[in-house]
Amino acid sequence: MEFSIKSGSPEKQRSACVVVGVFEPRKLSAAAEVIDNAAHQFLSDILRRGDMEGKSGSCLLLHGVPGVEADRILLVGLGKEREFREKEYRTAVATAVRQLNETGGFDGTLYLTELAVKKRDVAWKIRQAALVVQETLYRFDRLKSKKEEVRRPLRKLTFCVTRRNELATAENALAEGLAIAAGMDLAKDLGNLPGNICTPSYLADQARQLAKSHALGVDILDRADMEKLGMHTLLSVARGSHEPPRFIVLRHSGGVSGAKPVVLVGKGITFDSGGISLKPGAEMDEMKYDMCGAASVLGTLKAAAMMKLPLNVVGVIPSTENMPGGAATKPGDVITSMSGQTVEILNTDAEGRLILCDALTYVERFDPECVVDIATLTGACVIALGHVATGLLANNDGLARELLDAGQDAYDRAWQMPLWDDYQEQLKSNFADMANIGGRPAGTITAACFLARFTDKYYWAHLDIAGTAWRSGKDKGATGRPVPLLSHFLMDRAKSAPKPVAKRKRG
Ligand code: BES
Ligand code: MN
Ligand code: ZN
């Protein structure tokens, strides 16, 4: 898909289709009003006849509208003007794109990007439009022998802005939106691939390819390397599987050389059967998504590289399968982590924290500015927050605030839970420094409490994406979250980071 930005009058656009909005009940938006005047009230006549109410999610395609250059006009319902917010804006763009893709024309010119969205500027609207377009058109048909073909697919989209002096801002925002969208697409593809294809070695290959195409640094550690480093909790999870584990390190060095990096750590369980503490059969296929944290790290590094963010970022991915087997770790086994702390494994299905804790110790060597881990860590998080918000826990409130704000900006929201010491008691073990589970109450918090024991050297935040990384049911599929949140977090950090000397303007 090709994208461009424009400012100009809607009736003069030579386009297969010009898209304008209609508020409920039957109220034309500003751009629709302009077309209506040029077309001698053609649009208001249609509304009067009752063909379109303006409900959010509805649309009406018109041919042969007089007085306009475009072949078609698409009216998109926006809902009530007073209630027009982020969600309604996104719905309008998605509705338009879905319809445009089904009409005969190859291009579309969107005036929806001119609509006022409360508290949001032009950059936000353009970024979101780019994201919504990619999201609406995303298909995962790589594993189907016959692909469903769109007869005359949409090839080019133009986003309109009201004033000429907004063009530069909008171009910039478009590039950002497309970078984030590319990162999300990568995260979705990796998530949707099944466990027999997307193995730890496959993730490592993907990291190598990403490094090659985007000039990133990459290191892949194998089992022997991990043994040397003493990553025994990570290795304890890999014991039941025939697939060799991998530990992936990716570096985007966009910042001042020597400047402390932001470190992202992603859970990369390519299939979580539960191990000896085997999961029940229903929906177990969805545990191929247990590497969505890892996928979001790869996606975010891709976005950061495409945006050339002036920031040093390190992505770290501990990756393995969690399987039962003759050599698998057993409930009751005690393992020594890379940090030296010992863990009694009471449930082999609480494996995410076991691979993350060694990664969190490993990243100390980067002297991080801060560390954010991303993990499909607990079913309890789905119970607490559903599929709307990502769970957030942190050992520093400033960092937590930054991530919450980034989530709001990206429309990829997180919600904070407490990381109080009182919860640590639940992890007491009679046989080791800690147990790997804390019982039923506050499962998301006790999982984070476990990780917190490995993060006292730096500012750290944890994102539990168990409820937000994929959708179940008939629309089953990866969402690409939280790539938007993480990208915005890095974009904000890049703004305040010291700029590399070569890129600084000299007077
Ligand atoms: N990957 C799962 C968490 C999960 C489960 C995410 C269902 C999304 C949907 C994780 O490894 C796990 O199994 N966690 C256990 C922890 C428990 C044994 C303390 C859980 O949540 O049941
Ligand atoms: Mn598990
Ligand atoms: Zn898991």
Side-chain angles (χ1 to χ4, degrees):
M1 176 86 67
E2 197 189 316
F3 291 89
S4 66
I5 305 280
K6 213 177 204 179
S7 100
S9 212
E11 80 282 13
K12 299 209 183 90
Q13 301 303 320
R14 285 213 181 83
S15 171
C17 189
V18 163
V19 183
V20 294
V22 176
F23 290 108
E24 193 184 353
R26 300 180 300 278
K27 179 172 184 285
L28 297 173
S29 62
E33 197 75 71
V34 173
I35 289 184
D36 194 43
N37 289 334
H40 304 289
Q41 280 63 55
F42 192 92
L43 301 188
S44 29
D45 282 346
I46 285 176
L47 297 191
R48 191 152 359 88
R49 281 181 221 125
D51 286 0
M52 179 157 197
E53 209 44 42
K55 284 209 187 320
S56 179
S58 69
C59 64
L60 183 64
L61 184 66
L62 306 172
H63 294 263
V65 178
V68 303
E69 298 275 343
D71 302 337
R72 308 169 184 77
I73 301 291
L74 179 64
L75 302 181
V76 173
L78 306 172
K80 298 206 176 71
E81 192 164 12
R82 265 186 306 107
E83 291 163 13
F84 190 72
R85 303 249 157 76
E86 285 124 332
K87 183 160 172 265
E88 289 73 21
Y89 175 76
R90 289 174 54 100
T91 304
V93 175
T95 306
V97 170
R98 217 172 287 125
Q99 184 66 47
L100 285 173
N101 206 34
E102 281 165 19
T103 58
F106 287 121
D107 75 295
T109 305
L110 255 73
Y111 278 84
L112 301 174
T113 41
E114 286 192 1
L115 297 164
V117 182
K118 210 171 171 181
K119 290 198 195 137
R120 297 302 188 185
D121 57 11
V122 175
W124 185 90
K125 287 189 286 183
I126 299 290
R127 253 189 329 256
Q128 285 292 320
L131 286 175
V132 171
V133 172
Q134 291 289 95
E135 244 159 89
T136 310
L137 299 179
Y138 178 84
R139 295 281 176 285
F140 185 78
D141 55 10
R142 207 188 281 187
L143 306 177
K144 302 231 189 216
S145 57
K146 289 197 190 68
K147 326 267 179 220
E148 236 177 78
E149 262 176 59
V150 180
R151 201 174 43 87
R152 288 165 71 86
L154 188 58
R155 298 230 176 100
K156 183 171 191 297
L157 264 178
T158 302
F159 297 143
C160 294
V161 294
T162 326
R163 294 192 303 273
R164 296 196 63 81
N165 65 4
E166 292 171 337
L167 286 172
T169 309
E171 290 283 359
N172 205 23
L174 175 60
E176 289 172 348
L178 293 177
I180 298 169
M184 288 176 83
D185 276 2
L186 174 61
K188 284 187 207 177
D189 283 349
L190 292 173
N192 287 329
L193 280 171
N196 64 323
I197 296 175
C198 186
T199 59
S201 309
Y202 184 90
L203 281 180
D205 286 342
Q206 291 295 306
R208 279 196 201 93
Q209 273 184 32
L210 193 63
K212 205 162 170 204
S213 56
H214 291 80
L216 305 172
V218 65
D219 284 309
I220 312 284
L221 311 190
D222 62 15
R223 194 193 300 267
D225 299 321
M226 293 180 236
E227 266 159 16
K228 255 180 248 149
L229 286 161
M231 296 177 158
H232 299 298
T233 48
L234 197 177
L235 290 168
S236 77
V237 178
R239 286 180 65 88
S241 171
H242 294 292
E243 283 294 333
R246 291 288 182 263
F247 191 93
I248 303 165
V249 182
L250 262 180
R251 285 180 306 273
H252 165 74
S253 306
V256 176
S257 103
K260 294 180 173 191
V262 173
V263 177
L264 305 177
V265 179
K267 173 178 173 182
I269 296 288
T270 58
F271 189 75
D272 181 11
S273 71
I276 295 297
S277 313
L278 194 65
K279 286 182 180 297
E283 276 116 53
M284 207 208 271
D285 65 292
E286 295 190 6
M287 283 299 117
K288 71 174 182 180
Y289 289 117
D290 213 17
M291 36 54 70
C292 282
S296 77
V297 170
L298 293 175
T300 303
L301 263 104
K302 179 169 188 173
M306 284 178 74
M307 290 188 271
K308 298 195 165 53
L309 288 186
L311 193 70
N312 295 334
V313 186
V314 181
V316 173
I317 296 169
S319 182
T320 171
E321 282 185 337
N322 183 25
M323 296 288 277
T329 297
K330 306 168 289 297
D333 287 1
V334 173
I335 311 286
T336 304
S337 68
M338 184 178 172
S339 74
Q341 300 178 88
T342 57
V343 181
E344 183 187 13
I345 298 179
L346 290 176
N347 189 322
T348 64
D349 197 11
E351 84 298 339
R353 60 199 80 182
L354 297 175
I355 70 168
L356 288 170
C357 70
D358 278 346
L360 290 169
T361 301
Y362 179 86
V363 302
E364 286 174 7
R365 67 187 55 209
F366 300 119
D367 188 19
E369 186 75 29
C370 64
V371 178
V372 181
D373 81 71
I374 307 100
T376 48
L377 204 62
T378 63
C381 194
V382 190
I383 304 303
L385 299 174
H387 304 287
V388 178
T390 290
L392 166 67
L393 299 102
N395 67 10
N396 175 268
D397 278 334
L399 178 58
R401 188 73 258 159
E402 271 182 65
L403 288 159
L404 290 169
D405 289 346
Q408 283 289 348
D409 276 353
Y411 201 75
D412 179 11
R413 292 163 297 179
W415 193 258
Q416 193 175 2
M417 295 186 212
L419 192 67
W420 295 326
D421 268 347
D422 312 52
Y423 293 100
Q424 288 286 359
E425 282 172 29
Q426 289 175 236
L427 294 174
K428 260 191 72 181
S429 159
N430 286 349
F431 305 102
D433 296 341
M434 69 194 90
N436 79 325
I437 52 170
R440 293 254 299 159
T444 302
I445 298 175
T446 54
C449 281
F450 180 95
L451 298 177
R453 294 176 181 226
F454 300 83
T455 61
D456 50 358
K457 300 272 192 337
Y458 45 71
Y459 293 140
W460 159 77
H462 160 65
L463 294 170
D464 194 328
I465 56 169
T468 51
W470 76 91
R471 270 183 292 270
S472 310
K474 77 171 187 3
D475 290 327
K476 191 184 289 181
T479 60
R481 291 178 70 182
V483 171
L485 181 158
L486 293 168
S487 301
H488 272 255
F489 169 67
L490 295 181
M491 285 154 65
D492 292 341
R493 282 249 158 179
K495 277 183 210 144
S496 49
K499 296 289 170 293
V501 174
K503 287 179 190 160
R504 193 186 291 156
K505 269 194 195 145
R506 268 173 267 233

